[in-house]
Amino acid sequence: MLAERTIIACIAPKKNRKSKLPYDWYLYKKWHLIENMFAKLKDWRRVAIRYDRCAHTFMPAIHIAASFIFYLKE
């Protein structure tokens, strides 16, 4: 069904797969960075279990966590 729509997969196939499917390496790299960021955000308990129910208080918590993660990365 994806081939009919000319959609290329962005997740890399397993290394031991016999027939290698083509994928967009650059798009996979970007996807992987986003997935890793969500995984790091979930390490923050306040963000993971969503203490703040309102969007106007939850979003700043995500911003603080993301900026702290970025700061620790450097």
Side-chain angles (χ1 to χ4, degrees), residues 10-59:
C10 96
I11 300 174
K14 294 177 100 177
K15 292 188 185 225
N16 63 352
R17 188 173 178 151
K18 293 186 192 237
S19 63
K20 302 282 184 182
L21 296 175
Y23 71 99
D24 187 356
W25 183 83
Y26 182 75
L27 191 61
Y28 174 73
K29 185 176 176 182
K30 295 296 180 184
W31 174 82
H32 188 68
L33 285 174
I34 293 169
E35 286 292 319
N36 285 346
M37 187 62 187
F38 276 112
K40 288 177 186 174
L41 278 174
K42 287 180 182 178
D43 286 343
W44 288 68
R45 186 171 180 217
R46 180 182 192 101
V47 174
I49 61 175
R50 190 129 188 225
Y51 277 155
D52 307 314
R53 294 291 174 200
C54 299
H56 68 277
T57 55
F58 182 63
M59 220 34 199

Side-chain angles (χ1 to χ4, degrees), residues 1 5 7 38 41 63-64 67 70-71:
M1 187 166 75
R5 295 174 148 183
I7 296 174
F38 276 112
L41 278 174
H63 289 179
I64 290 169
S67 60
F70 180 77
Y71 177 74

